[in-house]
Amino acid sequence: MIEPDAAAPGEIYRDPVYDGATDPTVVVDAAGTWWMHYTQRRANHPDPGPGVAWVHGSRIGVATSDDGRHWEYRGTLESTRGGLELREGAPPEVVTETHWAPDVIHDGARWRMYLTEIGGVPTEWAGHARRIVEYVSDDLVHWERRAPLALDSNLVIDAAVAHCPDGLWRLWYKDEAADSVTKVAVSPDLATWQPGGTAIGGRAHEGPYVFALGGRWWMLTDEWRGMAVHHSPDAVAWQRQGGPDDVILGESGPASAGMQIGRHGMVVVRGDEARLYYFTHPWWDGSEIAEADAAHQRRSTVHVARLRVVGDRLVCER
């Protein structure tokens, strides 16, 4: 028997407004405060619109923590004349655009956010341009809008940015115009970007995230049945860990168990410890989640797992 409002096993954060926290990204500022930015889906909105409108019309939710495990909701990033600003409380009731899947990094001088923007509140998946836009900030509160990035198509989402061993910056992203694989762009200075081709092809996926741990570079990609693991010596040439069906966080059970597959995550590495922040739909029954009618099936929560390198493999422990 499902208790729709009960805490899901292992959850560390629920969005208090719409119960739809997804795509978490976590950073730690100079004062030691942990910041989570996430897509605030409108899972329990009483009237979000038809179709997949509840997945769209989302703001970027913000939460903070002293330890990365106990989180307090801070508000949402809302539009200003020059960019975005953190505002307390619930988001506006009426929204005119969709914000998805931020990646937040520190470039050594200031914060940068790479945000997926979609015009309007689409009710269907297809037919709506998506672009990745850069913002900069000195305090994680006020964000100055720079410009959309010129990438391989106008159907790009889910940015992930890292400084690589060859001294170049790389941005990995899902290109829906290329059968939903991971493309890459390359920059010497985070100002100009050049196309770098396909980083991970094959089976469709989304949500790439790249990090270094245990002397190797790793990329996680969300295959909607768990996360595929790829490794590289240089963050340029990638090889999949295991066979084509090898994933982490692929375990799931009956909806009443609240143990479901892990989706779209990111990793915080601090010394020898690596934490994988990801989301699940804890009461999902295995049907098409985007078409789910019940708010408890749409609901999503943030979880954290431990990552370790054992031998030449990346191992995940919920």
Side-chain angles (χ1 to χ4, degrees):
M1 182 71 178
I2 294 174
E3 295 291 339
D5 293 327
E11 71 178 36
I12 63 166
Y13 182 74
R14 287 175 67 180
D15 175 71
V17 181
Y18 290 137
D19 221 358
T22 63
D23 313 330
T25 186
V26 176
V27 295
V28 185
D29 68 16
T33 300
W34 297 64
W35 292 74
M36 181 193 299
H37 296 78
Y38 61 93
T39 306
Q40 188 188 58
R41 287 185 183 177
R42 301 180 299 155
N44 66 6
H45 192 292
D47 186 21
V52 294
W54 69 275
V55 181
H56 298 86
S58 48
R59 319 313 299 150
I60 298 306
V62 181
T64 57
S65 171
D66 291 332
D67 59 7
R69 295 185 180 276
H70 304 89
W71 294 89
E72 179 182 358
Y73 177 72
R74 292 287 301 275
T76 55
L77 296 183
E78 299 302 331
S79 296
T80 64
R81 178 169 297 182
L84 298 170
E85 179 179 297
L86 176 58
R87 296 179 184 170
E88 295 183 355
E93 292 186 8
V94 178
V95 295
T96 58
E97 60 184 354
T98 296
H99 290 167
W100 274 358
D103 186 38
V104 178
I105 67 164
H106 198 274
D107 66 9
R110 64 194 317 194
W111 297 100
R112 294 177 185 251
M113 176 168 61
Y114 297 86
L115 177 65
T116 300
E117 295 184 353
I118 305 170
V121 184
T123 61
E124 299 177 349
W125 290 118
H128 304 278
R130 299 113 152 82
R131 56 187 182 178
I132 293 171
V133 181
E134 183 190 54
Y135 291 79
V136 295
S137 175
D138 293 319
D139 57 9
L140 295 168
V141 173
H142 305 88
W143 292 90
E144 174 190 343
R145 192 176 194 271
R146 288 291 177 85
L149 303 187
L151 301 173
D152 282 359
S153 81
N154 66 346
L155 294 174
V156 296
I157 66 173
D158 297 353
V161 178
H163 198 217
C164 300
D166 60 5
L168 298 175
W169 294 86
R170 284 180 172 80
L171 181 148
W172 297 268
Y173 60 96
K174 175 187 178 184
D175 188 348
E176 295 178 348
D179 297 322
S180 295
V181 298
T182 295
K183 294 285 196 69
V184 62
V186 184
S187 173
D189 54 10
L190 294 173
T192 58
W193 293 91
Q194 298 296 323
T198 298
I200 305 293
R203 185 187 183 109
H205 56 269
E206 65 185 11
Y209 191 78
V210 172
F211 61 100
L213 181 68
R216 276 185 169 186
W217 286 83
W218 304 90
M219 184 191 298
L220 305 179
T221 55
D222 179 2
E223 294 190 344
W224 309 294
R225 60 190 185 115
M227 297 182 192
V229 177
H230 314 267
H231 57 83
S232 172
D234 55 11
V236 177
W238 297 94
Q239 180 179 342
R240 183 166 182 145
Q241 173 174 288
D245 295 322
D246 193 350
V247 296
I248 60 172
L249 296 176
E251 309 87 359
S252 63
S256 58
M259 171 67 78
Q260 296 298 340
I261 61 175
R263 302 169 183 265
H264 195 139
M266 67 82 61
V267 178
V268 175
V269 178
R270 292 172 68 82
D272 294 331
E273 180 185 65
R275 300 184 188 182
L276 168 55
Y277 290 87
Y278 63 97
F279 81 94
T280 73
H281 295 289
W283 307 139
W284 181 53
D285 67 358
S287 61
E288 174 53 55
I289 191 65
E291 306 301 333
D293 292 325
H296 74 270
Q297 284 201 56
R298 296 177 175 181
R299 170 183 158 187
S300 50
T301 56
V302 176
H303 297 244
V304 65
R306 180 188 181 196
L307 295 179
R308 296 183 297 132
V309 177
V310 179
D312 61 355
R313 291 183 62 85
L314 186 72
V315 176
C316 180
E317 302 167 350
R318 289 191 188 243

